[in-house]
Amino acid sequence: MRFSRQVLLLQIGVVALVVGIGVALVSVLLSRTLTDQYGRRALAIAKSVAADPVVVSNAAAKLPAGPLEERVLAVTKANEALFVVITDDKGIRLAHPTLSEIGKPVSTPADRALAGEDEISAVQSGTLGLSVRSKTPIRQGQRVVGEVSVGFEVGDPTGDFNRLLAITLVFAGGALLLGAGASALLNRRLRRVTHGLEPHELTELLYEREAVLHGIGEGVLAVDEANRVSVRNDEAERLLGTELPIGAAMAELELSPRVHKAVAEGRPVDNLLAVAGNRVLVINSRAVHLDDRPIGTVLTFRDRTDLDTVTRELDGIRALSDGLRAQRHEFANRLHTLYGLLQLGHHTEAVEYLQTLTDSTSARPSELGDAVADPYLQALLVAKTEQAQEKGLTLRLADDTWVPTTVTDPIAANTVIGNLVDNALHAARMGPRRPATVEVSLLAEGGTLHLSVVDSGPGVPEELRRTLFDEGVSTKIAPGHGLGLALARQAARARGGDVWLATGPGDGETGALFVAKLPGMLTEDG
């Protein structure tokens, strides 16, 4: 039997049991109440008879029948009683509906009434059968001269009881039907909410969900229609770098703007890059519908930090390789020129040409070994210099550059310096000033590396200054940009430093000035 049917039968059984117990209690109370009411009614009639002067005088004189009998019959008929009996102080009948019983002792004890007390004797058996009877003393002054007993047939309260019980049963039946109907509706609601699944199936689904959520290598985050967290796994919290309490509103969580946007729009998102802490994440988002009704959004996160790091290193190596290839071609051309001068006997021109080559290369950043001692920084500057020359730009080191030690984290240094220089080269190239230049300043302060990059571009528009370091925000027109500055700032902040924009839109000789502080980036052993 299905669990929902078991619940339905159990609920109907409980309702039937409660209704049955209620009807039984009502029956008992109703029976007692009706018996008590008839007993009190009989006592009231008996008191009225006992207060009649004729009854008092005849009872005191112990005169049977006569006026007493007439009054007994009149009261019995008027009140539809079974009997009205009058006795003397010895319990001998002076009046009785059956004349043959006059002069005989009463069939039930009358001691309490003859002792001066009222008595409601409930159901008793007498000469006329079972009856509900009450007794009261007849007083002449302070002396008890007899008693009056009044009774009603047991069938009278029983008939009233049966009528009231029938009405009660009708209401009980209605209550039972109402309870059964409510139980059926509740059972239907239970099946709809659980989609017809049995408890063991729900338990299995729970186990499977937990196993899947915490067994996969991707982060999973699900939000409901109100954009509140409904499901998440540990990997999602680890990748996003923050706690995701169940029931928390997404707007209250410190997450990437791209994550908030993906949830708010509710549209499918494929392979969207976002920065969370010092991680680069790939986000996929899907809206979830049940019976054509939207019930929330599910997002998955994959860590692309390692791949992105390798990609940046490969880009650096490729840039350095391109620079070396350009230098090789340039070197070959110069050798050919020098060889031609020597073959033609132009020795003086050859010497002057060599002198010119020496002067033109002496100021190259790649050869400023005294200013920049670290080979990683030298290689990066060489690559960026060659890249700038290929684009018709000039990249130079500031005169105050001084880094006599080596870097402790080449990847982080490449992330910060490379992204800032790339952005500066793009800004200088797109700017109106010519020659287009970028100036890089590197300065060591103990273990802290200070960096500034200034370009000759148009500067950063005022409307982008607040969101410049958010992922997805870029001055480049082509798609796929907007992560460089965010990555640079995250890499700097991961070491306790920062990257910021030091100038607004350029209106002088320079465009944008970006400054970075990287604590612990350099060794301090000189």
Side-chain angles (χ1 to χ4, degrees):
M1 184 181 296
R2 295 179 62 85
F3 177 75
S4 57
R5 184 168 299 174
Q6 295 179 20
V7 172
L8 176 61
L9 294 178
L10 177 61
Q11 290 172 336
I12 294 177
V14 170
V15 172
L17 178 62
V18 171
V19 170
I21 293 175
V23 170
L25 292 176
V26 168
S27 300
V28 173
L29 294 176
L30 189 60
S31 176
R32 291 179 180 178
T33 300
L34 289 173
T35 301
D36 182 68
Q37 287 178 353
Y38 271 86
R40 293 186 181 278
R41 179 181 174 187
L43 180 62
I45 297 171
K47 283 183 174 291
S48 65
V49 173
D52 190 336
V54 177
V55 173
V56 174
S57 61
N58 280 267
K62 298 184 179 181
L63 299 176
L68 290 181
E69 188 67 19
E70 294 176 359
R71 293 185 181 275
V72 164
L73 293 177
V75 172
T76 301
K77 183 178 180 181
N79 292 280
E80 298 181 351
L82 177 63
F83 63 83
V84 176
V85 176
I86 300 175
T87 71
D88 59 14
D89 58 353
K90 301 299 183 182
I92 303 301
R93 298 186 182 100
L94 299 177
H96 192 279
T98 304
L99 295 178
S100 60
E101 297 295 328
I102 297 176
K104 296 180 180 179
V106 293
S107 58
T108 56
D111 298 339
R112 289 182 60 187
L114 295 176
E117 299 179 6
D118 294 332
E119 179 182 0
I120 300 177
S121 301
V123 179
Q124 290 183 337
S125 177
T127 57
L128 298 177
L130 288 174
S131 62
V132 179
R133 63 185 65 190
S134 296
K135 301 174 182 179
T136 189
I138 303 174
R139 299 178 185 273
Q140 189 179 47
Q142 297 297 324
R143 185 170 64 90
V144 177
V145 296
E147 58 92 14
V148 179
S149 177
V150 179
F152 288 91
E153 290 186 21
V154 172
D156 292 342
T158 301
D160 292 342
F161 170 77
N162 290 336
R163 286 191 298 273
L164 293 176
L165 182 60
I167 297 175
T168 303
L169 289 176
V170 170
F171 280 100
L176 182 60
L177 292 177
L178 181 62
S183 298
L185 291 177
L186 182 61
N187 180 66
R188 183 179 178 182
R189 170 67 177 170
L190 178 63
R191 290 199 307 270
R192 185 166 63 251
V193 170
T194 60
H195 301 286
L197 297 177
E198 294 296 299
H200 68 276
E201 295 175 325
L202 293 175
T203 303
E204 292 175 358
L205 284 178
L206 176 61
Y207 290 157
E208 292 174 0
R209 191 197 76 164
E210 292 299 313
V212 171
L213 279 179
H214 300 287
I216 61 177
E218 295 184 355
V220 178
L221 171 63
V223 298
D224 57 19
E225 294 179 85
N227 285 342
R228 293 185 175 274
V229 178
S230 57
V231 177
R232 87 282 184 270
N233 61 359
D234 297 337
E235 185 68 9
E237 291 186 331
R238 185 185 73 84
L239 293 178
L240 293 174
T242 184
E243 294 184 358
L244 302 171
I246 299 296
M250 288 292 293
E252 299 174 357
L253 300 177
E254 296 183 0
L255 300 176
S256 165
R258 287 192 169 183
V259 176
H260 287 295
K261 185 177 181 181
V263 173
E265 293 181 350
R267 293 182 298 180
V269 174
D270 293 313
N271 300 326
L272 177 67
L273 296 181
V275 177
N278 58 350
R279 301 180 183 277
V280 178
L281 305 180
V282 179
I283 303 176
N284 288 275
S285 174
R286 289 292 183 274
V288 182
H289 294 78
L290 180 62
D291 299 331
D292 297 329
R293 180 175 62 89
I295 61 174
T297 304
V298 176
L299 299 94
T300 58
F301 307 93
R302 285 176 292 155
D303 191 355
R304 219 192 75 163
T305 304
D306 295 338
L307 178 60
D308 192 70
T309 300
V310 173
T311 302
R312 292 199 303 270
E313 291 180 351
L314 181 60
D315 289 341
I317 295 174
R318 183 181 294 111
L320 180 58
S321 175
D322 292 341
L324 293 176
R325 186 181 300 108
Q327 285 186 342
R328 180 174 62 83
H329 285 292
E330 182 182 1
F331 184 69
N333 291 332
R334 292 172 179 176
L335 284 180
H336 292 158
T337 302
L338 183 60
Y339 176 75
L341 291 173
L342 292 175
Q343 283 290 336
L344 296 174
H346 302 296
H347 300 286
T348 303
E349 288 79 0
V351 172
E352 291 177 355
Y353 182 67
L354 286 174
Q355 183 64 38
T356 303
L357 292 178
T358 303
D359 293 339
S360 63
T361 59
S362 61
R364 288 196 175 187
S366 60
E367 298 177 2
L368 295 180
D370 293 338
V372 180
D374 183 80
Y376 293 103
L377 294 181
Q378 289 184 2
L380 178 62
L381 292 173
V382 167
K384 296 302 179 184
T385 300
E386 297 297 336
Q387 181 180 353
Q389 289 180 351
E390 290 180 357
K391 297 179 180 180
L393 309 175
T394 300
L395 174 66
R396 62 172 179 264
L397 281 178
D399 295 336
D400 58 354
T401 295
W402 179 248
V403 184
T405 57
T406 58
V407 298
T408 59
D409 190 348
I411 295 178
N414 181 74
T415 299
V416 177
I417 300 174
N419 281 304
L420 292 182
V421 171
D422 286 342
N423 285 350
L425 291 175
H426 176 79
R429 181 184 178 188
M430 301 303 295
R433 298 183 182 89
R434 292 295 181 270
T437 60
V438 173
E439 184 175 87
V440 179
S441 175
L442 299 170
L443 183 62
E445 181 187 7
T448 301
L449 176 62
H450 296 274
L451 166 69
S452 66
V453 179
V454 61
D455 60 70
S456 61
V460 179
E462 184 66 28
E463 62 271 14
L464 292 182
R465 296 193 64 182
R466 289 181 177 273
T467 60
L468 185 61
F469 289 92
D470 294 341
E471 66 268 21
V473 177
S474 176
T475 58
K476 301 179 178 69
I477 299 177
H481 298 283
L483 289 178
L485 289 178
L487 289 172
R489 171 170 278 186
Q490 294 292 351
R493 289 182 173 179
R495 307 184 64 88
D498 204 353
V499 177
W500 64 94
L501 175 65
T503 62
D507 54 4
E509 296 181 356
T510 62
L513 171 60
F514 286 88
V515 180
K517 179 181 179 181
L518 305 175
M521 181 60 71
L522 302 175
T523 59
E524 301 185 31
D525 53 358

